[in-house]
Amino acid sequence: ASEVAVQARLAHNPQLKFAELDRRVELGFAANDPYLGSQWHLSKINASAAWDVARGQGVTIAILDTGVAASHPDLAANVVPGWNFYGNNADTSDPHGHGTAVAGAAAAVFNNGMGVASVAGAARIMPVRIADANAYAYWSTVAQGLTWAADNGARVANISYVGVAGSASVQSAAQYMKSKGGLVIVCAGNNGIDEGITPNTTMIPVSATNSSDAKTSWSSYGNFVVVAAPGQDIWTTTRTLGYQAWSGTSLASPVVAGVVASMMAAKPTLSAAQVESLLLSTAVDLGAAGRDARCASGRGDADGARAAAPRAGA
């Protein structure tokens, strides 16, 4: 008899409490990055459990920002060619540092024995520079960069710039990416106020929470915000090839971008709408019960979202 048949017969034996097939198991994935112990946000969103299955592999995240320090040892393996819309050339180096910090929060290489880990450490990073050396950008340039990213293989785009959710030009470009199966993640802002932006379905604005799962005092909020994520004291990469703790919705946004990339890696056939729906349905409710203006649908949960992805249709 087969082992399955024997197990089935033994399971019905009244002298036995249970019978199960023996099975070999492997350890849960645990990154060896030195700063992991300081990265409270990864344990808060259950990132390590998600790493057992999906780490963003095969997914490209476009970082629309000040550029990326592509030679950083915790980023280099994941960086792919991008474009500089500020200088209209292929130089996507980072003269400011903001873009490098954002890129590290989304997809710094993990389990390489150095620096930090990230939510989607196997995802590709596409640097799209849309800002000057002082980190100022225009809506028109953001929209250009977003359209280019959508046409050049990015399935996730992160824009850690305040106010872009209220731009018709950026909304149009975000809808274009969504039509191609991608999602655009943006920051809510750091003004500590209701930004008064009209909600729309083209992108996913993110507010910031702290280690106590409360909205930070400086995080903007409002009905336009879709989800919350850790954004205070987030250890990430710097343009000087080191590491530093950053705070802001600029860091909360790429955390969500990493979660989205992990979901897409877990099941590449999911549509953008399905990914967004699963992201929100698996979020941990915070603040007032149900959706609210301050914490939106709740704080994103990497493992819950990743686990839900393979079970979804398509």
Side-chain angles (χ1 to χ4, degrees):
S2 72
E3 58 189 19
V4 175
V6 171
Q7 184 269 337
R9 292 190 64 181
L10 290 175
H12 290 89
N13 188 320
Q15 296 181 337
L16 299 177
K17 182 179 289 187
F18 65 88
E20 67 178 1
L21 294 176
D22 200 5
R23 181 174 297 177
R24 187 178 68 176
V25 294
E26 60 184 24
L27 52 80
F29 186 85
N32 60 8
D33 307 81
Y35 281 81
L36 186 59
S38 299
Q39 294 184 275
W40 67 269
H41 69 288
L42 294 177
S43 59
K44 178 66 72 172
I45 65 170
N46 297 312
S48 60
W51 294 337
D52 286 340
V53 176
R55 307 161 195 170
Q57 59 271 23
V59 179
T60 298
I61 304 174
I63 304 295
L64 278 71
D65 218 290
T66 60
V68 172
S71 62
H72 195 296
D74 241 358
L75 300 175
N78 287 348
V79 175
V80 298
W83 191 254
N84 181 340
F85 282 89
Y86 175 76
N88 194 31
N89 55 49
D91 179 9
T92 56
S93 58
D94 185 1
H96 182 272
H98 188 268
T100 301
V102 169
V109 180
F110 57 44
N111 203 39
N112 60 350
M114 67 176 73
V116 296
S118 70
V119 187
R124 293 184 288 263
I125 298 169
M126 176 188 286
V128 181
R129 185 175 167 186
I130 45 85
D132 62 23
N134 294 314
Y136 290 103
Y138 288 93
W139 283 351
S140 56
T141 312
V142 173
Q144 279 183 295
L146 193 50
T147 300
W148 184 90
D151 285 338
N152 283 273
R155 197 169 175 204
V156 184
N158 184 88
I159 312 172
S160 289
Y161 272 77
V162 180
V164 294
S167 163
S169 298
V170 179
Q171 289 174 21
S172 178
Q175 184 57 47
Y176 177 68
M177 174 168 267
K178 201 168 186 178
S179 72
K180 295 173 74 69
L183 285 174
V184 179
I185 321 299
V186 304
C187 70
N190 304 323
N191 299 315
I193 61 172
D194 185 335
E195 295 288 347
I197 296 174
T198 302
N200 67 82
T201 60
T202 63
M203 59 188 86
I204 300 175
V206 183
S207 60
T209 54
N210 59 25
S211 58
S212 298
D213 257 350
K215 188 190 79 64
T216 65
S217 60
W218 39 260
S219 176
S220 295
Y221 57 94
N223 290 327
F224 78 106
V225 177
V226 173
V227 72
Q232 184 170 301
D233 296 326
I234 307 299
W235 279 92
T236 185
T237 47
T238 68
R239 66 181 293 268
T240 56
L241 310 188
Y243 304 92
Q244 182 180 327
W246 287 61
S247 294
T249 55
S250 284
L251 281 300
S253 179
V255 168
V256 172
V259 173
V260 168
S262 293
M263 296 172 68
M264 291 176 171
K267 189 165 187 179
T269 57
L270 289 178
S271 67
Q274 287 175 312
V275 172
E276 183 173 2
S277 176
L278 292 172
L279 173 70
L280 304 188
S281 65
T282 57
V284 177
D285 193 20
L286 304 178
R291 196 183 193 288
D292 60 83
R294 290 183 175 272
C295 295
S297 295
R299 189 249 309 137
D301 183 274
D303 185 48
R306 188 279 315 157
R311 297 195 298 267

